[in-house]
Amino acid sequence: MTAASTVLGHGEAGRRGADVRSDLFVAVDIREVGPLELELRSKVEVMYGADLRAQAKQVLADLGVEHATVTIEDQGALPFVVAARIEAAVRRAGAGKEHKSLPRTSAAPTISTRDRLRRSRLYLPGAEPKFLVNAKLHGSDALILDLEDSVHPAEKDGARLIVRNALRAVDFGGCERMVRVNQLPLGLEDLDEIVPEAPDLILIPKTETPEQLKEVDERIRRILARDGLAHSIWLMPILESALGIENAFAIASACPRVVALTIGLEDYTADLGVVKTAEGAETLHARQRLVNAAKAVHIQAIDSVYGDIDDLEGLRAWGLRSRAMGFEGMGCVHPRQIPVIHEAFAPTAEEIARAERIVAAFEEAKARGLGVVSLGSKMIDPPVVARAVKLVERARRMGR
């Protein structure tokens, strides 16, 4: 092999095959010298071949790659995916580590508030761009771009770039944009790529101590300060072990960024050495502990996912019990679960009507200077009024 053809590094990224859509495969050979050679095969060659070649060359230039042989097999990937896959392949080839190729940003997302509705949060595998593009159409309150369990260990780096670019380029509508990072310390590397793109909320898996939250909080603070950003980024720790449940209050109060606690029941039951059931008796104690800890520091309690996507009646029953315990939402693994969850966590018409009567009676008593509120023949205590006010406000936010 001549010096001109010496390969300094080889890297591959993405997926190929007849069943692949909205993705591409990239192979990169970094060479010592020689021209940049680009071979492209695309299902949309006629319409977008020239644009794909131009983008590929621009991405390679952004990454400082001048001498390379690049092969791309495209299955209809959008530009943010093209950029992420090329960058991943170049990095795996040992080049471009000090550079990024960032897509243009979409419309600025709506700012997420601490107490916004989080009835449903739909998990989306971060390594599968086909699930990200139209995810807002499913109607969940939040979307979780997942870098943890749904991503093979060998694809963590590539998924990180897909999610980073998606946060910039994909319009997620009114959905809260959440990212589940990996278990620490790998999750800190995720933050380095993700935080500059201003996600609304970060889920921290397998949280067991408040020190983990403080470490994440400090990492986020330093990244935002470095980049001159002022975006509010919230945290939702996932408690997935006996130790995490025992430390629930300390975790909930670890830092002001924490707006909710949630639980991972698969890992939790595995830690206990028990079988997870549809009735949930084996996890009742842990879920009650989590709700109590969350309410003690005035943050939201969010339940786990219901794994059987075909058992919608079981999901409805679980959601109703969950709401009765004090949870305000839960995770979902399939879009068909979203309307069932929303219905389960919504107050009924009868509950709303009674709460409105209580609030009206309270307002009337206040206007008349009365210290006692009554509804019919019953005296209404202040905690009952407070609960009614909260229910009416929540129903309003749900559009009921």
Side-chain angles (χ1 to χ4, degrees):
M1 185 177 292
T2 65
S5 62
T6 299
V7 176
L8 302 179
H10 176 80
E12 298 179 357
R15 300 180 60 215
R16 57 182 167 184
D19 62 332
V20 175
R21 61 183 176 87
S22 302
D23 208 340
L24 75 162
F25 172 81
V26 183
V28 175
D29 286 326
I30 302 295
R31 298 187 178 276
E32 187 175 13
V33 295
L36 180 64
E37 299 177 351
L38 175 62
E39 179 184 354
L40 171 67
R41 295 188 293 276
S42 173
K43 64 185 295 184
V44 292
E45 167 72 33
V46 174
M47 295 183 64
Y48 300 110
D51 291 339
L52 279 167
R53 287 183 176 82
Q55 186 193 1
K57 291 177 180 178
Q58 182 59 57
V59 171
L60 292 165
D62 292 342
L63 299 174
V65 175
E66 297 179 350
H67 315 295
T69 299
V70 181
T71 302
I72 297 176
E73 299 176 24
D74 172 57
Q75 297 293 334
L78 291 176
F80 82 92
V81 182
V82 175
R85 293 306 195 192
I86 294 175
E87 185 171 341
V90 168
R91 289 189 181 188
R92 290 173 180 177
K97 297 186 186 302
E98 303 301 319
H99 304 279
K100 295 181 181 182
S101 183
L102 300 174
R104 289 179 294 181
T105 57
S106 63
T110 303
I111 300 299
S112 176
T113 58
R114 289 186 62 89
D115 60 347
R116 65 161 290 160
L117 283 177
R118 296 186 177 99
R119 298 166 297 176
S120 60
R121 61 190 205 282
L122 177 64
Y123 279 89
L124 303 169
E128 294 281 0
K130 66 183 179 183
F131 293 119
L132 308 181
V133 177
N134 295 314
K136 68 178 181 180
L137 301 179
H138 300 309
S140 60
D141 289 336
L143 297 167
I144 301 174
L145 284 58
D146 185 35
L147 295 174
E148 198 211 10
D149 285 347
S150 68
V151 180
H152 188 278
E155 293 300 320
K156 297 288 189 183
D157 59 335
R160 188 182 295 145
L161 300 180
I162 290 287
V163 169
R164 179 200 71 189
N165 285 7
L167 288 170
R168 291 180 64 88
V170 177
D171 179 7
F172 292 110
C175 301
E176 188 172 31
R177 302 167 310 131
M178 301 180 174
V179 177
R180 179 169 70 168
V181 298
N182 286 286
Q183 184 178 1
L184 304 186
L186 182 59
L188 298 176
E189 297 180 30
D190 296 331
L191 294 176
D192 292 339
E193 290 287 357
I194 298 304
V195 168
E197 307 314 325
D200 297 310
L201 184 147
I202 302 290
L203 289 114
I204 313 298
K206 299 175 178 61
T207 303
E208 294 188 319
T209 68
E211 287 72 27
Q212 291 171 302
L213 270 295
K214 293 173 183 176
E215 186 176 15
V216 169
D217 178 54
E218 175 60 20
R219 188 70 157 244
I220 292 174
R221 187 195 65 77
R222 285 195 279 114
I223 295 170
L224 293 176
R226 179 198 66 195
D227 295 350
L229 301 173
H231 189 84
S232 296
I233 297 180
W234 310 118
L235 298 179
M236 186 187 298
I238 310 175
L239 311 188
E240 305 183 68
S241 68
L243 179 58
I245 292 299
E246 290 302 309
N247 287 331
F249 178 78
I251 290 169
S253 54
C255 71
R257 292 189 194 276
V258 178
V259 295
L261 288 184
T262 190
I263 186 168
L265 293 181
E266 293 292 350
D267 283 283
Y268 176 71
T269 51
D271 192 42
L272 293 190
V274 300
V275 176
K276 179 175 174 286
T277 66
E279 293 75 26
E282 70 286 346
T283 61
L284 179 62
H285 169 73
R287 293 164 71 219
Q288 288 175 327
R289 284 284 300 272
L290 184 146
V291 170
N292 198 73
K295 300 304 180 181
V297 295
H298 309 291
I299 64 174
Q300 295 173 343
I302 307 294
D303 207 353
S304 185
V305 301
Y306 189 83
D308 189 344
I309 63 174
D310 293 322
D311 184 12
L312 297 183
E313 285 305 314
L315 170 63
R316 181 176 289 105
W318 182 280
L320 290 172
R321 292 195 300 269
S322 177
R323 175 178 171 244
M325 290 175 62
F327 286 103
E328 297 183 38
M330 60 185 293
C332 44
V333 294
H334 194 281
R336 75 175 67 170
Q337 296 180 317
I338 296 169
V340 178
I341 290 172
H342 285 187
E343 188 63 30
F345 281 91
T348 65
E350 292 77 11
E351 289 174 321
I352 296 171
R354 174 170 171 75
E356 288 176 337
R357 290 197 298 272
I358 291 172
V359 173
F362 170 73
E363 295 294 342
E364 181 181 355
K366 185 170 66 172
R368 295 170 58 188
L370 301 178
V372 177
V373 181
S374 61
L375 185 62
S377 60
K378 293 184 178 181
M379 306 302 292
I380 305 299
D381 295 329
V384 176
V385 175
R387 184 166 62 242
V389 170
K390 288 182 180 178
L391 190 147
V392 171
E393 171 60 19
R394 185 169 175 81
R396 183 193 63 78
R397 293 167 65 191
M398 293 180 183
R400 297 178 77 87

